[in-house]
Amino acid sequence: MGTFFRHAASAMRWLLVGAVVAAVAAGACLGVAAVATGSGTDHDGAPWSLVAAPGIDRQKAMDAAVAAVPGSTAVSAELDSERNTTVWEVEVVTPEGVEYEVSVDANTGVVRGTAERD
């Protein structure tokens, strides 16, 4: 009877080792696939393209946005991705209280678009 339990425990141990190896292999495959397809994200959920430092800093993006909406004041700026391009999304407000979101290319500093916010 003791031999039976020893053999059963040995078999269970190898099943457990096999399951762990399979789980590690599956996780590695998913990680490689995410990186290869560009669909990976960092620990904050940001696309990998946003992890690298942008070509222009936050202040330059805010200056470009203010120039695009004359008389406005920049309120905030954050990195985002638009159509596989890293952009600064800058929120500006005019003296009349109208809010705009200005999209500034994070590599070149070129204003890509301006949209009035509701």
Side-chain angles (χ1 to χ4, degrees):
M1 186 80 157
T3 305
F4 173 76
F5 287 117
R6 249 182 288 152
H7 286 294
S10 178
M12 292 299 274
R13 179 178 26 193
W14 286 112
L15 281 174
L16 180 62
V17 168
V20 169
V21 169
V24 169
C29 289
L30 289 174
V32 169
V35 170
T37 61
S39 63
T41 60
D42 71 353
H43 66 280
D44 292 327
W48 286 118
S49 62
L50 299 181
V51 176
I56 65 166
D57 64 12
R58 179 183 307 258
Q59 187 59 51
K60 288 182 183 174
M62 292 171 84
D63 293 342
V66 167
V69 182
S72 66
T73 303
V75 177
S76 67
E78 63 182 42
L79 277 176
D80 200 0
S81 180
E82 283 181 3
R83 298 185 182 135
N84 295 325
T85 302
T86 304
V87 296
W88 284 103
E89 287 186 352
V90 182
E91 185 178 322
V92 297
V93 179
T94 65
E96 295 81 24
V98 180
E99 295 180 4
Y100 291 89
E101 183 172 284
V102 182
S103 177
V104 179
D105 189 303
N107 293 314
T108 64
V110 173
V111 174
R112 294 175 48 103
T114 303
E116 186 174 341
R117 295 189 60 171
D118 295 331

